[in-house]
Amino acid sequence: MVSAVKLEVVVMPKRNVLDPQGVAVRNAVRELGLSNVGTVRVGKIIEIEFTGEPDEAKLDEICRDLLSNQVIEDYRILGAVLK
Amino acid sequence: MVSAVKLEVVVMPKRNVLDPQGVAVRNAVRELGLSNVGTVRVGKIIEIEFTGEPDEAKLDEICRDLLSNQVIEDYRILGAVLK
């Protein structure tokens, strides 16, 4: 029996959307000595712990409607069983 | 030869630090029908593409000093070779 499951939702700006925060980080890390850095993108990661079996279809729906903005963002769900 | 490397830096609030954004997401997903959700934490994920070999020691230093606030956040570096 699964007693605890942790899922991670990663929400990233789409490839063709300008990511000013990513550009700022890229410029900063280059100045700090990492000269071979290309693209940098900054997104969100949401760790969700479930007690018992997660309803992945429902989670997918929530990711689409609540946790991401489908116009400018993509999401992916990563899974890891804890115990 | 490695031609492109993508590293991901995950920055999460520490376990013992209050994460109001995580609490808000937890309450919202519970109301939307995922009743068996426990803790939710919201962090940042920074995708960094390198042309050539990344300087991981330098990146670690930058994560510590620039990309995270060590008082309230932890970071981890995940790696993936692209090509």
Side-chain angles (χ1 to χ4, degrees):
Chain A
M1 197 206 116
V2 179
S3 66
V5 177
K6 188 170 77 173
L7 296 178
E8 293 181 328
V9 178
V10 175
V11 180
M12 296 299 295
K14 282 184 197 282
R15 286 273 143 200
N16 53 351
V17 169
L18 183 67
D19 175 18
Q21 205 182 351
V23 173
V25 170
R26 189 190 59 194
N27 295 343
V29 298
R30 278 185 179 166
E31 282 196 13
L32 288 171
L34 285 178
S35 54
N36 65 341
V37 165
T39 312
V40 176
R41 303 193 82 77
V42 179
K44 283 180 295 187
I45 183 163
I46 302 149
E47 272 186 16
I48 305 177
E49 283 178 24
F50 290 85
T51 53
E53 205 63 56
D55 181 347
E56 293 203 42
K58 188 80 193 167
L59 178 62
D60 194 71
E61 196 188 311
I62 289 175
C63 287
R64 205 182 54 228
D65 297 342
L66 174 77
L67 299 177
S68 71
N69 177 351
Q70 286 291 288
V71 178
I72 55 167
E73 291 171 329
D74 286 322
Y75 68 88
R76 58 184 198 270
I77 299 171
L78 316 173
V81 175
L82 280 185
K83 284 161 208 166
Chain B
M1 198 204 113
V2 180
S3 66
V5 178
K6 188 170 78 173
L7 296 179
E8 293 181 328
V9 178
V10 174
V11 180
M12 296 300 295
K14 282 183 197 280
R15 286 274 141 200
N16 53 351
V17 169
L18 183 67
D19 176 18
Q21 205 182 350
V23 173
V25 170
R26 188 191 59 195
N27 295 344
V29 298
R30 277 185 179 168
E31 282 197 13
L32 289 170
L34 285 178
S35 55
N36 65 341
V37 165
T39 312
V40 176
R41 303 193 82 77
V42 179
K44 282 180 296 186
I45 182 162
I46 302 149
E47 272 186 15
I48 306 177
E49 282 178 24
F50 290 86
T51 54
E53 204 63 55
D55 181 346
E56 293 203 41
K58 188 80 192 166
L59 178 61
D60 194 72
E61 195 187 310
I62 288 175
C63 287
R64 207 183 53 227
D65 297 342
L66 175 77
L67 299 177
S68 71
N69 177 352
Q70 286 291 289
V71 178
I72 54 167
E73 292 170 330
D74 286 322
Y75 69 88
R76 57 184 199 270
I77 300 172
L78 315 172
V81 174
L82 278 186
K83 283 160 207 163

mmCIF file of all heavy atoms in Angstrom, chain A residues 13-44:
data_model
loop_
_atom_site.group_PDB
_atom_site.id
_atom_site.type_symbol
_atom_site.label_atom_id
_atom_site.label_comp_id
_atom_site.label_asym_id
_atom_site.label_seq_id
_atom_site.Cartn_x
_atom_site.Cartn_y
_atom_site.Cartn_z
ATOM 1 N N PRO A 13 7.985 29.061 -18.249
ATOM 2 C CA PRO A 13 7.520 29.893 -19.362
ATOM 3 C C PRO A 13 7.759 29.158 -20.682
ATOM 4 O O PRO A 13 8.752 28.445 -20.827
ATOM 5 C CB PRO A 13 8.392 31.147 -19.264
ATOM 6 C CG PRO A 13 9.521 30.803 -18.360
ATOM 7 C CD PRO A 13 9.081 29.682 -17.497
ATOM 8 N N LYS A 14 6.844 29.295 -21.636
ATOM 9 C CA LYS A 14 7.003 28.646 -22.941
ATOM 10 C C LYS A 14 8.264 29.176 -23.642
ATOM 11 O O LYS A 14 8.681 30.305 -23.411
ATOM 12 C CB LYS A 14 5.783 28.941 -23.830
ATOM 13 C CG LYS A 14 4.545 28.110 -23.495
ATOM 14 C CD LYS A 14 3.436 28.424 -24.497
ATOM 15 C CE LYS A 14 2.069 27.971 -24.019
ATOM 16 N NZ LYS A 14 1.800 26.544 -24.155
ATOM 17 N N ARG A 15 8.811 28.350 -24.517
ATOM 18 C CA ARG A 15 10.068 28.680 -25.232
ATOM 19 C C ARG A 15 9.994 30.027 -25.951
ATOM 20 O O ARG A 15 10.961 30.762 -26.003
ATOM 21 C CB ARG A 15 10.375 27.601 -26.282
ATOM 22 C CG ARG A 15 10.883 26.306 -25.705
ATOM 23 C CD ARG A 15 12.407 26.326 -25.526
ATOM 24 N NE ARG A 15 12.758 25.615 -24.293
ATOM 25 C CZ ARG A 15 13.909 25.747 -23.630
ATOM 26 N NH1 ARG A 15 14.835 26.567 -24.072
ATOM 27 N NH2 ARG A 15 14.144 25.087 -22.529
ATOM 28 N N ASN A 16 8.857 30.317 -26.561
ATOM 29 C CA ASN A 16 8.753 31.524 -27.386
ATOM 30 C C ASN A 16 8.224 32.742 -26.619
ATOM 31 O O ASN A 16 7.897 33.759 -27.219
ATOM 32 C CB ASN A 16 7.887 31.255 -28.621
ATOM 33 C CG ASN A 16 6.539 30.667 -28.244
ATOM 34 O OD1 ASN A 16 6.323 30.308 -27.077
ATOM 35 N ND2 ASN A 16 5.637 30.589 -29.198
ATOM 36 N N VAL A 17 8.176 32.619 -25.283
ATOM 37 C CA VAL A 17 7.721 33.754 -24.462
ATOM 38 C C VAL A 17 8.938 34.382 -23.792
ATOM 39 O O VAL A 17 9.798 33.668 -23.277
ATOM 40 C CB VAL A 17 6.710 33.266 -23.393
ATOM 41 C CG1 VAL A 17 6.430 34.346 -22.364
ATOM 42 C CG2 VAL A 17 5.430 32.807 -24.045
ATOM 43 N N LEU A 18 9.011 35.695 -23.830
ATOM 44 C CA LEU A 18 10.116 36.398 -23.185
ATOM 45 C C LEU A 18 10.079 36.167 -21.685
ATOM 46 O O LEU A 18 9.030 36.268 -21.060
ATOM 47 C CB LEU A 18 10.018 37.901 -23.482
ATOM 48 C CG LEU A 18 11.158 38.761 -22.915
ATOM 49 C CD1 LEU A 18 12.475 38.437 -23.613
ATOM 50 C CD2 LEU A 18 10.843 40.234 -23.063
ATOM 51 N N ASP A 19 11.246 35.837 -21.107
ATOM 52 C CA ASP A 19 11.340 35.578 -19.667
ATOM 53 C C ASP A 19 12.358 36.559 -19.070
ATOM 54 O O ASP A 19 13.532 36.275 -18.985
ATOM 55 C CB ASP A 19 11.781 34.124 -19.452
ATOM 56 C CG ASP A 19 12.028 33.804 -17.993
ATOM 57 O OD1 ASP A 19 11.557 34.566 -17.119
ATOM 58 O OD2 ASP A 19 12.710 32.802 -17.726
ATOM 59 N N PRO A 20 11.889 37.743 -18.665
ATOM 60 C CA PRO A 20 12.804 38.795 -18.197
ATOM 61 C C PRO A 20 13.626 38.363 -16.983
ATOM 62 O O PRO A 20 14.790 38.733 -16.846
ATOM 63 C CB PRO A 20 11.881 39.954 -17.828
ATOM 64 C CG PRO A 20 10.542 39.608 -18.349
ATOM 65 C CD PRO A 20 10.481 38.141 -18.552
ATOM 66 N N GLN A 21 13.003 37.547 -16.111
ATOM 67 C CA GLN A 21 13.715 37.079 -14.922
ATOM 68 C C GLN A 21 14.882 36.169 -15.334
ATOM 69 O O GLN A 21 15.980 36.265 -14.775
ATOM 70 C CB GLN A 21 12.721 36.303 -14.044
ATOM 71 C CG GLN A 21 13.100 36.269 -12.587
ATOM 72 C CD GLN A 21 12.116 35.459 -11.750
ATOM 73 O OE1 GLN A 21 11.047 35.054 -12.221
ATOM 74 N NE2 GLN A 21 12.482 35.201 -10.514
ATOM 75 N N GLY A 22 14.636 35.335 -16.335
ATOM 76 C CA GLY A 22 15.695 34.469 -16.857
ATOM 77 C C GLY A 22 16.826 35.267 -17.475
ATOM 78 O O GLY A 22 18.006 34.954 -17.283
ATOM 79 N N VAL A 23 16.481 36.317 -18.214
ATOM 80 C CA VAL A 23 17.493 37.169 -18.834
ATOM 81 C C VAL A 23 18.334 37.856 -17.754
ATOM 82 O O VAL A 23 19.564 37.919 -17.851
ATOM 83 C CB VAL A 23 16.827 38.220 -19.756
ATOM 84 C CG1 VAL A 23 17.847 39.215 -20.274
ATOM 85 C CG2 VAL A 23 16.124 37.529 -20.919
ATOM 86 N N ALA A 24 17.666 38.314 -16.689
ATOM 87 C CA ALA A 24 18.376 38.974 -15.584
ATOM 88 C C ALA A 24 19.353 38.006 -14.922
ATOM 89 O O ALA A 24 20.508 38.357 -14.639
ATOM 90 C CB ALA A 24 17.375 39.505 -14.559
ATOM 91 N N VAL A 25 18.897 36.760 -14.690
ATOM 92 C CA VAL A 25 19.773 35.760 -14.071
ATOM 93 C C VAL A 25 20.945 35.451 -15.000
ATOM 94 O O VAL A 25 22.091 35.354 -14.567
ATOM 95 C CB VAL A 25 18.986 34.473 -13.725
ATOM 96 C CG1 VAL A 25 19.926 33.352 -13.307
ATOM 97 C CG2 VAL A 25 17.990 34.742 -12.608
ATOM 98 N N ARG A 26 20.665 35.311 -16.300
ATOM 99 C CA ARG A 26 21.745 35.016 -17.252
ATOM 100 C C ARG A 26 22.821 36.097 -17.208
ATOM 101 O O ARG A 26 24.016 35.807 -17.112
ATOM 102 C CB ARG A 26 21.194 34.908 -18.675
ATOM 103 C CG ARG A 26 22.235 34.395 -19.665
ATOM 104 C CD ARG A 26 21.773 34.526 -21.091
ATOM 105 N NE ARG A 26 21.474 35.921 -21.414
ATOM 106 C CZ ARG A 26 20.808 36.325 -22.485
ATOM 107 N NH1 ARG A 26 20.317 35.434 -23.312
ATOM 108 N NH2 ARG A 26 20.599 37.602 -22.715
ATOM 109 N N ASN A 27 22.388 37.354 -17.258
ATOM 110 C CA ASN A 27 23.364 38.451 -17.217
ATOM 111 C C ASN A 27 24.164 38.442 -15.921
ATOM 112 O O ASN A 27 25.370 38.652 -15.930
ATOM 113 C CB ASN A 27 22.645 39.791 -17.387
ATOM 114 C CG ASN A 27 22.014 39.914 -18.759
ATOM 115 O OD1 ASN A 27 22.352 39.170 -19.684
ATOM 116 N ND2 ASN A 27 21.086 40.850 -18.898
ATOM 117 N N ALA A 28 23.482 38.163 -14.816
ATOM 118 C CA ALA A 28 24.164 38.165 -13.518
ATOM 119 C C ALA A 28 25.182 37.033 -13.425
ATOM 120 O O ALA A 28 26.324 37.259 -13.013
ATOM 121 C CB ALA A 28 23.131 38.051 -12.391
ATOM 122 N N VAL A 29 24.805 35.816 -13.825
ATOM 123 C CA VAL A 29 25.757 34.701 -13.691
ATOM 124 C C VAL A 29 26.934 34.864 -14.651
ATOM 125 O O VAL A 29 28.051 34.469 -14.354
ATOM 126 C CB VAL A 29 25.096 33.303 -13.857
ATOM 127 C CG1 VAL A 29 24.050 33.068 -12.788
ATOM 128 C CG2 VAL A 29 24.529 33.077 -15.229
ATOM 129 N N ARG A 30 26.686 35.480 -15.804
ATOM 130 C CA ARG A 30 27.805 35.758 -16.718
ATOM 131 C C ARG A 30 28.786 36.721 -16.083
ATOM 132 O O ARG A 30 30.002 36.536 -16.156
ATOM 133 C CB ARG A 30 27.289 36.340 -18.029
ATOM 134 C CG ARG A 30 26.787 35.276 -18.991
ATOM 135 C CD ARG A 30 26.420 35.918 -20.312
ATOM 136 N NE ARG A 30 25.947 34.926 -21.274
ATOM 137 C CZ ARG A 30 25.315 35.243 -22.401
ATOM 138 N NH1 ARG A 30 25.090 36.519 -22.687
ATOM 139 N NH2 ARG A 30 24.929 34.302 -23.223
ATOM 140 N N GLU A 31 28.263 37.759 -15.466
ATOM 141 C CA GLU A 31 29.150 38.738 -14.820
ATOM 142 C C GLU A 31 29.899 38.135 -13.653
ATOM 143 O O GLU A 31 31.009 38.549 -13.325
ATOM 144 C CB GLU A 31 28.347 39.949 -14.339
ATOM 145 C CG GLU A 31 28.012 40.882 -15.466
ATOM 146 C CD GLU A 31 27.574 42.257 -14.983
ATOM 147 O OE1 GLU A 31 27.764 42.552 -13.786
ATOM 148 O OE2 GLU A 31 27.040 43.008 -15.796
ATOM 149 N N LEU A 32 29.287 37.127 -13.014
ATOM 150 C CA LEU A 32 29.923 36.492 -11.854
ATOM 151 C C LEU A 32 30.905 35.402 -12.268
ATOM 152 O O LEU A 32 31.426 34.687 -11.414
ATOM 153 C CB LEU A 32 28.860 35.932 -10.912
ATOM 154 C CG LEU A 32 28.069 36.996 -10.137
ATOM 155 C CD1 LEU A 32 26.900 36.373 -9.403
ATOM 156 C CD2 LEU A 32 28.977 37.714 -9.146
ATOM 157 N N GLY A 33 31.139 35.234 -13.564
ATOM 158 C CA GLY A 33 32.218 34.346 -13.987
ATOM 159 C C GLY A 33 31.825 33.123 -14.783
ATOM 160 O O GLY A 33 32.685 32.372 -15.233
ATOM 161 N N LEU A 34 30.508 32.873 -14.975
ATOM 162 C CA LEU A 34 30.104 31.730 -15.805
ATOM 163 C C LEU A 34 29.848 32.251 -17.224
ATOM 164 O O LEU A 34 28.718 32.522 -17.610
ATOM 165 C CB LEU A 34 28.844 31.070 -15.248
ATOM 166 C CG LEU A 34 29.005 30.206 -14.002
ATOM 167 C CD1 LEU A 34 27.655 29.666 -13.564
ATOM 168 C CD2 LEU A 34 29.960 29.054 -14.265
ATOM 169 N N SER A 35 30.939 32.366 -18.007
ATOM 170 C CA SER A 35 30.836 33.025 -19.303
ATOM 171 C C SER A 35 30.150 32.155 -20.357
ATOM 172 O O SER A 35 29.649 32.666 -21.350
ATOM 173 C CB SER A 35 32.228 33.428 -19.777
ATOM 174 O OG SER A 35 33.065 32.288 -19.757
ATOM 175 N N ASN A 36 30.130 30.839 -20.168
ATOM 176 C CA ASN A 36 29.553 29.959 -21.198
ATOM 177 C C ASN A 36 28.086 29.593 -20.948
ATOM 178 O O ASN A 36 27.638 28.518 -21.312
ATOM 179 C CB ASN A 36 30.404 28.692 -21.347
ATOM 180 C CG ASN A 36 30.395 27.837 -20.089
ATOM 181 O OD1 ASN A 36 30.072 28.325 -19.014
ATOM 182 N ND2 ASN A 36 30.749 26.577 -20.223
ATOM 183 N N VAL A 37 27.369 30.515 -20.319
ATOM 184 C CA VAL A 37 25.945 30.281 -20.082
ATOM 185 C C VAL A 37 25.138 30.799 -21.267
ATOM 186 O O VAL A 37 25.350 31.921 -21.723
ATOM 187 C CB VAL A 37 25.495 30.964 -18.770
ATOM 188 C CG1 VAL A 37 23.983 31.044 -18.688
ATOM 189 C CG2 VAL A 37 26.046 30.215 -17.584
ATOM 190 N N GLY A 38 24.243 29.966 -21.786
ATOM 191 C CA GLY A 38 23.367 30.373 -22.881
ATOM 192 C C GLY A 38 22.033 30.825 -22.322
ATOM 193 O O GLY A 38 21.965 31.750 -21.518
ATOM 194 N N THR A 39 20.971 30.131 -22.706
ATOM 195 C CA THR A 39 19.636 30.505 -22.238
ATOM 196 C C THR A 39 19.432 30.152 -20.767
ATOM 197 O O THR A 39 19.872 29.106 -20.308
ATOM 198 C CB THR A 39 18.572 29.757 -23.067
ATOM 199 O OG1 THR A 39 18.899 29.903 -24.446
ATOM 200 C CG2 THR A 39 17.190 30.307 -22.810
ATOM 201 N N VAL A 40 18.766 31.044 -20.049
ATOM 202 C CA VAL A 40 18.331 30.755 -18.679
ATOM 203 C C VAL A 40 16.831 31.019 -18.611
ATOM 204 O O VAL A 40 16.355 32.043 -19.123
ATOM 205 C CB VAL A 40 19.065 31.639 -17.649
ATOM 206 C CG1 VAL A 40 18.523 31.401 -16.247
ATOM 207 C CG2 VAL A 40 20.562 31.394 -17.689
ATOM 208 N N ARG A 41 16.092 30.098 -18.023
ATOM 209 C CA ARG A 41 14.664 30.318 -17.824
ATOM 210 C C ARG A 41 14.316 30.030 -16.370
ATOM 211 O O ARG A 41 14.821 29.086 -15.782
ATOM 212 C CB ARG A 41 13.823 29.428 -18.756
ATOM 213 C CG ARG A 41 14.165 29.649 -20.222
ATOM 214 C CD ARG A 41 13.148 29.030 -21.152
ATOM 215 N NE ARG A 41 11.978 29.885 -21.332
ATOM 216 C CZ ARG A 41 11.960 30.958 -22.111
ATOM 217 N NH1 ARG A 41 13.019 31.319 -22.773
ATOM 218 N NH2 ARG A 41 10.862 31.673 -22.224
ATOM 219 N N VAL A 42 13.443 30.858 -15.822
ATOM 220 C CA VAL A 42 13.065 30.710 -14.421
ATOM 221 C C VAL A 42 11.601 30.311 -14.340
ATOM 222 O O VAL A 42 10.745 30.952 -14.948
ATOM 223 C CB VAL A 42 13.309 32.017 -13.640
ATOM 224 C CG1 VAL A 42 12.886 31.863 -12.184
ATOM 225 C CG2 VAL A 42 14.770 32.421 -13.726
ATOM 226 N N GLY A 43 11.334 29.247 -13.638
ATOM 227 C CA GLY A 43 9.963 28.765 -13.482
ATOM 228 C C GLY A 43 9.631 28.489 -12.033
ATOM 229 O O GLY A 43 10.396 28.821 -11.130
ATOM 230 N N LYS A 44 8.468 27.864 -11.840
ATOM 231 C CA LYS A 44 8.019 27.523 -10.488
ATOM 232 C C LYS A 44 8.055 26.018 -10.321
ATOM 233 O O LYS A 44 7.850 25.272 -11.274
ATOM 234 C CB LYS A 44 6.557 27.958 -10.291
ATOM 235 C CG LYS A 44 6.350 29.416 -10.053
ATOM 236 C CD LYS A 44 4.857 29.714 -9.882
ATOM 237 C CE LYS A 44 4.085 29.419 -11.171
ATOM 238 N NZ LYS A 44 2.666 29.858 -11.109
#
